[in-house]
Amino acid sequence: MKNLLIAVLFISSGILKAQKTSNTSIGENEKLVYTVSYKMSGLLTNLAQVTMQTSRVNTGKSNYLRLKCNATTYSKWDSFFKIRDVYEAYVNPSNLKPYLYKRDINEGGYLKTEKYVYKYKSKTIKATMEKKKESSTKTLKMSNNTYDVVSTLYHIRNMDIDKAPIGTNQKITVLFDRKPQTAYLKLLGKETINTKAMGQKECYKIAVSNKALKGTNQNIVYLSADANKVPVLIKFSIPAGTGQLVLNEASGLKN
């Protein structure tokens, strides 16, 4: 289950083209709710809910857009493997540049926290991890396009995907567990997806490959082919099995 949710977030974090300089896709009061299903005994079984929300935060000195992701197993599965995970990124609301990332993991009694502080003057990231009452800090190098898994997920929605030709390939790097993770992306074209939250939507179809994922064109992200670029369906295949995320609720969209 732990690897399942990590894969889901990682699959959702791809980039095909350079980001726009201004935020035209992400609203300040957006809420997206997904059902996570996993194939068990040949049948897709609903195991968990993932909720993604945005909100404006004013610290007195600066304004930020908080990007928050909660992953929670349904209560009937808690006795099997209880998950209560929270991922957060604080970004510039105008261009989505990240400044702070936090991860709070509670999975089957396994507890871990992470925090990344982006330092743009020194082009470094102060990355702190705490588990089993032990804390350690690393200083990581930061390039112009270094993102954590949450801020990257929102950056993909602010790109000019419509300008990319079918078959476009791209390699990306995302920080996870304080390590750079590489993924390879390919734009497969468009497909119409029937969603509970948004009805029938024409979507960009993007394949993702990575050493943690399995198969060719089996890990797919479907983004609504409109100004919001909402992930409406995510299909994943990992060594432990296959599953999907289905969008059930969408509110507060920018466009």
Side-chain angles (χ1 to χ4, degrees):
M1 178 69 75
K2 175 183 174 183
N3 290 334
L4 182 158
L5 292 175
I6 289 174
V8 163
L9 286 172
F10 194 78
I11 289 169
S12 306
S13 301
I15 299 178
L16 282 173
K17 298 280 284 182
Q19 291 85 7
K20 297 177 182 177
T21 56
S22 60
N23 173 23
T24 61
S25 302
I26 312 302
E28 296 181 0
N29 295 288
E30 184 183 88
K31 182 178 181 181
L32 306 174
V33 181
Y34 297 85
T35 295
V36 182
S37 303
Y38 188 71
K39 187 166 285 188
M40 302 174 67
S41 300
L43 298 174
L44 279 173
T45 303
N46 296 340
L47 297 182
Q49 178 173 289
V50 170
T51 303
M52 301 173 62
Q53 293 178 277
T54 66
S55 59
R56 192 71 173 256
V57 175
N58 188 340
T59 65
K61 294 183 179 181
S62 302
N63 288 315
Y64 298 99
L65 186 64
R66 181 173 69 170
L67 315 174
K68 186 175 182 180
C69 177
N70 291 80
T72 305
T73 44
Y74 293 122
S75 57
K76 67 178 181 179
W77 295 105
D78 282 349
S79 59
F80 173 68
F81 196 89
K82 183 177 180 179
I83 290 177
R84 297 293 186 272
D85 292 351
V86 181
Y87 297 76
E88 292 180 284
Y90 292 77
V91 303
N92 184 310
S94 298
N95 58 22
L96 304 182
K97 181 186 292 186
Y99 284 89
L100 177 66
Y101 166 75
K102 293 196 240 182
R103 179 183 174 208
D104 191 345
I105 300 299
N106 184 346
E107 299 176 347
Y110 175 78
L111 305 177
K112 182 171 77 170
T113 62
E114 276 187 297
K115 183 170 76 171
Y116 298 167
V117 178
Y118 293 80
K119 299 179 179 294
Y120 287 94
K121 289 185 178 180
S122 61
K123 293 185 177 180
T124 59
I125 298 173
K126 182 181 178 182
T128 303
M129 181 176 69
E130 183 174 343
K131 60 180 178 178
K132 296 182 179 179
K133 299 183 180 180
E134 295 182 0
S135 179
S136 63
T137 299
K138 291 182 179 180
T139 299
L140 309 174
K141 292 182 180 180
M142 179 174 62
S143 68
N144 292 331
N145 291 308
T146 299
Y147 301 99
D148 53 81
V149 70
V150 175
S151 60
T152 310
L153 173 56
Y154 282 86
H155 270 285
I156 186 178
R157 297 174 50 198
N158 199 47
M159 299 180 303
D160 296 320
I161 302 176
D162 59 307
K163 297 179 181 179
I166 294 174
T168 295
N169 288 280
Q170 180 71 49
K171 181 176 77 172
I172 64 158
T173 301
V174 182
L175 288 176
F176 195 80
D177 274 340
R178 301 192 298 179
K179 298 177 182 178
Q181 304 284 324
T182 301
Y184 300 88
L185 312 169
K186 184 176 183 180
L187 179 61
L188 301 180
K190 290 183 179 179
E191 185 175 326
T192 299
I193 301 296
N194 189 26
T195 74
K196 178 181 178 181
M198 304 173 70
Q200 284 195 336
K201 295 293 295 184
E202 184 180 46
C203 296
Y204 299 113
K205 184 178 180 181
I206 302 171
V208 185
S209 59
N210 170 263
K211 64 181 181 180
L213 308 175
K214 186 180 178 182
T216 301
N217 295 346
Q218 293 186 41
N219 296 279
I220 305 291
V221 181
Y222 296 86
L223 298 177
S224 61
D226 55 28
N228 296 304
K229 299 185 182 72
V230 175
V232 300
L233 174 64
I234 300 171
K235 295 182 178 181
F236 60 88
S237 179
I238 57 178
T242 61
Q244 64 183 25
L245 268 79
V246 176
L247 180 66
N248 287 327
E249 179 184 332
S251 60
L253 299 179
K254 187 178 182 72
N255 301 294

